[in-house]
Amino acid sequence: MVSKKSIAAVLLLGIALIAVIATAGCVNTEVTGPADKVFLGNVITVDDANPVAEAVAVKDGIILFVGSKKDAEKFCDENTEVIDFGDNSIYPGFLEAHAHVSLAGMRSFGMAKLTPGAPLKQTVDEIAAYIKENPGKDYYIGSGWTFSGGEEPTAAMLDAVCSDVPVILQTQDGHSVWVNSKCIEALNPTQEQIEAYGPAQIRVDANGKPTGYLSETPAIEMLKDLPFTVEDLKEFTLKWQEEGLSDGFTGVSDAGMELFGAKQIDAYEQLIDEDALKLRIYGLSMVNDNTDTPEEDMAKIAELAERLNSDHFKVIGAKVFLDGVIEAHSGWMLDEYKDQAGYYGVSRFNDVDKMARLMIAADKYGMLVHAHSVGDAANRMFADSVEKAIETTGNYDQRNAAAHLQYLKPEDIERFGELGIIAVSGYQWTAKNEFSYPVEQKAVGADYAEKGYPAQSFINAGAVVVGHTDYPVSPVVSIPNAFYTGVTRTSPLIGDEGIRGPEEAMSREDTLKSLTSNVAYMWHEEDRLGSLEPGKLADMTVLSVDLLHDDMDTVGLAMLIPAVATIIDGEIVYQADADAAETA
């Protein structure tokens, strides 16, 4: 049980108070008291000038005051609602910097959940059981399996349990699919496409025919062909929203908001019109690999912004893929793969001139380019592109971002700082797990694998580090888990034996900023979000742990506990337990 504490609302009738205090920043002087609500608890502000407090006063969805309980009384009258979270900790709303909203919702229900790292036969048995339990579907989708080498999956293996309708099994990372013959028939790739993608993206047999194992572009593009309706996609989005709020997120980047095609945009538009979005969603619109029309592409994205931008939805730029993932041998590397001589991975968007043009065009609209970038060759290419774009724009503050950042050479880490590139680090995937880490070691060598997912090195170079889950790629989405991994370089589920690159561990303060204020900065929203300061939006997350002071074992255990409450625009939009807060 949480402790129960309360303060009396002080009667200061008829007094209009401007929320200006000695520790205030970003003050909106148009907002005056008395407050609608005062939230009490262990307030951790992520404001260096006023790092801890006891109370947050709110008026019309804007923070009026942050400070002591006693001083908060000055912002109350008999109509002020005082909500006491006791010993629980109140933070600025946590921000998810890179996720896939509808894909996450799709995986949450209505499909088979497959076991990561299981033998192929077990995966076949799992999808067979799902088909038996759900007869008569027009197609079957599963997700979560992983491929760790050895015998590759084939369509024939799935045909043995289902040959009459398409079967599509996504890997946990979403960058590969295993399909049956009926699905290959529906996709009907031409010989020209098979040759253009190459065997790294469409595996073929001795006769040059697809085997049923696809990666990267053909695996991701097929999402657009799935027979989901606009109503389905709305349901997927609301499902993720429900989960995101319970995790404590108040904002999210949808990294590639048309993964399911144009109908996803229609779904968003309807949800906006219906005022159904509680989370703040920051959309990144997909741009094709090596596009010949970057200027036109950005103009279309700007048109989407005019169509969709609203209180809880904002289009902020373009999403591109530079490469794939190491576990599928599609990450783009400078050196050849250790287990595949002469092979360097898959380079998707690899034209520096076109990428620079895209960035220059985005700059004209006050937008950014956000890249999926895993391998060191991809990350170098992104830095080259930013440097070339800056030569034209002179803008070191565009805040172009590269996400995942599994491997980089030290000199390119330094360039991230010099060029103002946002480092969207995949530090949550640091722990040496039994599924992907052995594959990494075989692919890039044990020494280089140890250097995966740098974080502190970016901070040392002067770059802004942002954390993310890439949900649903991460099977565990938890703010305490993310925080624990950033600080310890391992997972609470694995322990000390999972520590990778301990020199890359961030401080608690920097890790917290990577999940709050730094994300707001990437979105150009630092004046509204990311810290608890007067004048900013009243978005808050209440957790049962003090991330800055509780021992790390306590933080790790909290990964199993949902948020105590999530507050957006000063309203509690999620509460785990009605007894978690006391209203005075």
Side-chain angles (χ1 to χ4, degrees):
M1 293 291 294
V2 299
S3 64
K4 304 292 185 184
K5 300 178 182 177
S6 64
I7 63 172
V10 178
L11 304 181
L12 293 175
L13 297 175
I15 300 178
L17 297 172
I18 298 177
V20 180
I21 60 173
T23 56
C26 299
V27 175
N28 181 347
T29 56
E30 296 179 359
V31 181
T32 61
D36 299 328
K37 297 183 181 69
V38 172
F39 297 98
L40 303 179
N42 173 37
V43 181
I44 298 173
T45 67
V46 196
D47 172 15
D48 292 338
N50 181 34
V52 294
E54 298 174 314
V56 181
V58 174
K59 174 70 175 291
D60 295 333
I62 304 296
I63 296 174
L64 197 62
F65 166 84
V66 182
S68 71
K69 294 180 186 177
K70 183 175 179 59
D71 287 342
E73 294 176 359
K74 300 173 185 176
F75 294 85
C76 299
D77 68 9
E78 78 273 18
N79 297 314
T80 302
E81 181 181 9
V82 180
I83 301 169
D84 190 347
F85 286 105
D87 291 334
N88 292 307
S89 295
I90 302 174
Y91 304 85
F94 283 86
L95 306 175
E96 168 56 85
H98 179 113
H100 305 287
V101 173
S102 288
L103 184 63
M106 180 193 78
R107 288 193 184 182
S108 295
F109 65 100
M111 62 185 304
K113 308 295 193 300
L114 307 173
T115 303
L120 297 182
K121 184 180 183 306
Q122 179 178 333
T123 302
V124 172
D125 290 342
E126 288 175 349
I127 191 63
Y130 179 80
I131 292 170
K132 185 176 181 180
E133 293 167 3
N134 297 272
K137 286 180 171 286
D138 295 332
Y139 57 89
Y140 291 94
I141 302 175
S143 71
W145 72 284
T146 54
F147 179 59
S148 301
E151 180 187 15
E152 287 197 348
T154 66
M157 296 176 185
L158 295 178
D159 292 343
V161 298
C162 184
S163 60
D164 55 340
V165 298
V167 176
I168 304 158
L169 308 184
Q170 281 191 327
T171 51
Q172 182 62 44
D173 58 36
H175 281 257
S176 298
V177 293
W178 176 9
V179 301
N180 66 352
S181 296
K182 198 69 174 178
C183 187
I184 295 174
E185 179 184 320
L187 292 172
N188 192 28
T190 66
Q191 192 61 36
E192 182 180 11
Q193 288 174 320
I194 292 170
E195 292 174 0
Y197 286 126
Q201 297 188 68
I202 299 180
R203 272 56 160 200
V204 294
D205 60 22
N207 298 316
K209 301 300 182 184
T211 63
Y213 184 25
L214 293 75
S215 296
E216 298 314 319
T217 306
I220 295 170
E221 285 293 310
M222 70 182 301
L223 290 172
K224 297 177 181 178
D225 296 323
L226 295 177
F228 295 132
T229 65
V230 170
E231 288 301 317
D232 290 333
L233 296 175
K234 288 169 63 178
E235 187 175 4
F236 294 162
T237 300
L238 294 177
K239 180 66 176 178
W240 194 94
Q241 175 171 267
E242 178 185 327
E243 294 186 0
L245 293 174
S246 69
D247 291 326
F249 290 109
T250 60
V252 56
S253 279
D254 191 353
M257 59 188 194
E258 306 98 338
L259 277 179
F260 290 96
K263 55 193 171 185
Q264 177 65 69
I265 303 301
D266 294 336
Y268 270 135
E269 187 168 38
Q270 290 186 23
L271 289 170
I272 292 165
D273 290 343
E274 294 164 7
D275 199 25
L277 295 180
K278 299 177 183 178
L279 275 168
R280 302 189 193 281
I281 297 179
Y282 291 82
L284 293 157
S285 183
M286 298 284 288
V287 170
N288 291 333
D289 301 347
N290 288 334
T291 174
D292 290 323
T293 57
E295 294 80 11
E296 290 86 343
D297 294 340
M298 283 309 309
K300 290 177 181 177
I301 293 172
E303 290 174 1
L304 279 178
E306 291 183 7
R307 174 180 170 187
L308 298 175
N309 283 6
S310 48
D311 286 345
H312 282 220
F313 195 98
K314 184 177 181 181
V315 179
I316 59 172
K319 160 70 185 295
V320 295
F321 282 96
L322 305 190
D323 65 346
V325 292
I326 299 299
E327 58 267 27
H329 281 59
S330 54
W332 182 17
M333 303 298 293
L334 291 166
D335 300 316
E336 65 184 11
Y337 277 73
K338 301 295 184 184
D339 57 353
Q340 199 167 337
Y343 176 73
Y344 297 85
V346 174
S347 60
R348 292 189 51 176
F349 203 131
N350 55 21
D351 189 309
V352 170
D353 289 338
K354 291 179 178 179
M355 179 66 77
R357 286 169 57 194
L358 186 67
M359 293 172 177
I360 293 165
D363 184 65
K364 292 179 180 178
Y365 296 104
M367 292 185 178
L368 57 86
V369 175
H370 183 111
H372 168 109
S373 190
V374 166
D376 50 19
N379 288 309
R380 178 164 295 178
M381 179 269 179
F382 195 73
D384 290 344
S385 302
V386 172
E387 186 171 16
K388 189 175 182 66
I390 288 174
E391 290 173 1
T392 297
T393 65
N395 185 5
Y396 283 85
D397 194 35
Q398 190 177 352
R399 306 183 196 181
N400 293 310
H404 312 323
L405 306 177
Q406 192 164 355
Y407 294 108
L408 295 91
K409 299 298 184 184
E411 58 269 31
D412 291 319
I413 291 176
E414 292 295 323
R415 295 174 73 202
F416 269 56
E418 294 165 0
L419 298 169
I421 301 171
I422 306 296
V424 188
S425 174
Y427 64 74
Q428 290 187 62
W429 302 329
T430 294
K432 299 175 180 177
N433 65 61
E434 61 182 304
F435 306 124
S436 62
Y437 191 66
V439 178
E440 288 183 56
Q441 289 181 304
K442 292 176 183 177
V444 304
D447 290 343
Y448 206 21
E450 180 70 21
K451 299 181 184 299
Y453 301 114
Q456 182 60 39
S457 289
F458 286 114
I459 295 173
N460 295 343
V464 173
V465 173
V466 168
H468 72 298
T469 68
D470 201 13
Y471 192 62
V473 171
S474 296
V476 177
V477 178
S478 158
I479 290 162
N481 178 68
F483 185 88
Y484 184 99
T485 307
V487 173
T488 68
R489 301 288 293 180
T490 186
S491 162
L493 299 175
I494 299 175
D496 289 350
E497 63 270 23
I499 294 174
R500 182 193 333 202
E503 70 280 0
E504 293 294 343
M506 295 182 290
S507 70
R508 292 190 187 220
E509 291 77 12
D510 283 335
T511 304
L512 182 56
K513 287 179 180 179
S514 78
L515 300 168
T516 53
S517 60
N518 288 1
V519 184
Y521 176 83
M522 179 178 72
W523 293 341
H524 290 268
E525 291 277 66
E526 66 270 27
D527 290 338
R528 303 201 316 148
L529 303 172
S531 61
L532 299 179
E533 301 177 62
K536 290 192 174 184
L537 296 175
D539 291 2
M540 290 168 265
T541 302
V542 186
L543 300 180
S544 60
V545 287
D546 183 332
L547 297 175
L548 296 185
H549 301 102
D550 285 346
D551 66 77
M552 291 308 295
D553 287 341
T554 300
V555 172
L557 287 172
M559 70 175 287
L560 303 174
I561 304 171
V564 174
T566 305
I567 300 161
I568 297 177
D569 293 323
E571 301 294 332
I572 297 177
V573 293
Y574 167 82
Q575 190 162 338
D577 182 353
D579 295 328
E582 183 178 276
T583 301

